[in-house]
Amino acid sequence: MDAAGSIHGSEQNREECEFVPSKLGTKEYWDEAYTRELQTFKEIGDVGEIWFGEESMARVVQWLEKENIPQDASVLDIGTGNGMFLVELAKCGFTNLTGIDYSPASVELAKNIMAKEELTNIRIMEEDFLSPSPELSGFDVCIDKGTFDAISLNPENAAENREQYARAVRSVLKDDGLFIITSCNWTKDQLLSILCKGFEIQQELPTPSFQFGGRTGNSVTALVLKRKN
């Protein structure tokens, strides 16, 4: 997804930056995309796209390690896709990992990749995060790389879905649990405006910057938030 022409770091509020609805915000799009990636994996073993690239995974993993997050902390990967972020976390020693996605093809792909990597202790579940099941609760850390962006592009009820998403994150986290979100559509200020109820910022992670028209901005925003009691 592109940044919809916005320069990150600007002071636009979120009402001024509504995005044009896109097929990228629909379940049908992701079902088709992951069905293709699943077939490709079965044919040649290619795991498919790593959302935001390997750098985005490394950024979050390095922060978790720097902050000494316990390796047995319960971690939820929201919109896990092919599950490669969970693979990376497992390789770094994290042991209590769960990935969810609303696309059945994504879930099957991720499970196939876990089997190939011989990672039998990672849970992969088919879940619509906007209506999380009671089983999803009590997590120490929740991570999102692009799922909130996709929800924001849904042609139907995007604003309502964003609010529902924020409630869902709060509902699955423990008190003082951490939420790490990476977005290419929303600025720091916009994310904080949307997620202001029930969260406080801990840190903005450094991301690549660019200059355009004499202004400096970031093409990606990465924030660490803490759930308030």
Side-chain angles (χ1 to χ4, degrees), residues 106-123:
S106 160
V107 170
E108 185 178 351
L109 173 60
K111 286 182 176 180
N112 275 264
I113 290 173
M114 299 306 153
K116 180 181 178 181
E117 297 286 340
E118 298 182 348
L119 296 171
T120 58
N121 61 336
I122 297 178
R123 291 194 305 167

Side-chain angles (χ1 to χ4, degrees), residues 36-182:
R36 292 193 300 271
E37 291 197 3
L38 175 61
Q39 185 61 37
T40 300
F41 178 79
K42 290 180 177 179
E43 291 175 354
I44 62 174
D46 185 348
V47 300
E49 181 178 2
I50 296 175
W51 201 243
F52 291 118
E54 294 183 4
E55 180 183 4
S56 65
M57 294 195 302
R59 182 186 303 120
V60 174
V61 171
Q62 288 169 5
W63 186 88
L64 293 171
E65 293 178 330
K66 178 183 177 183
E67 297 299 316
N68 295 314
I69 303 300
Q71 292 190 326
D72 63 351
S74 54
V75 179
L76 176 65
D77 186 21
I78 302 168
T80 197
N82 57 16
M84 289 305 297
F85 187 76
L86 296 172
V87 172
E88 189 67 21
L89 287 171
K91 289 180 177 179
C92 292
F94 290 90
T95 59
N96 190 356
L97 303 173
T98 300
I100 61 169
D101 206 291
Y102 68 177
S103 169
S106 160
V107 170
E108 185 178 351
L109 173 60
K111 286 182 176 180
N112 275 264
I113 290 173
M114 299 306 153
K116 180 181 178 181
E117 297 286 340
E118 298 182 348
L119 296 171
T120 58
N121 61 336
I122 297 178
R123 291 194 305 167
I124 306 293
M125 304 166 59
E126 184 181 334
E127 285 273 354
D128 181 352
F129 189 64
L130 295 183
S131 301
S133 66
E135 186 178 355
L136 292 178
S137 63
F139 286 94
D140 296 302
V141 181
C142 289
I143 298 170
D144 178 347
K145 293 195 302 90
T147 297
F148 183 71
D149 283 354
I151 287 172
S152 301
L153 295 172
N154 193 303
E156 298 181 4
N157 303 320
E160 179 181 332
N161 288 342
R162 289 195 295 267
E163 294 179 2
Q164 193 170 347
Y165 174 96
R167 290 193 295 269
V169 177
R170 291 194 296 272
S171 74
V172 301
L173 274 173
K174 292 179 179 177
D175 289 344
D176 295 327
L178 298 173
F179 176 41
I180 307 174
I181 181 168
T182 301

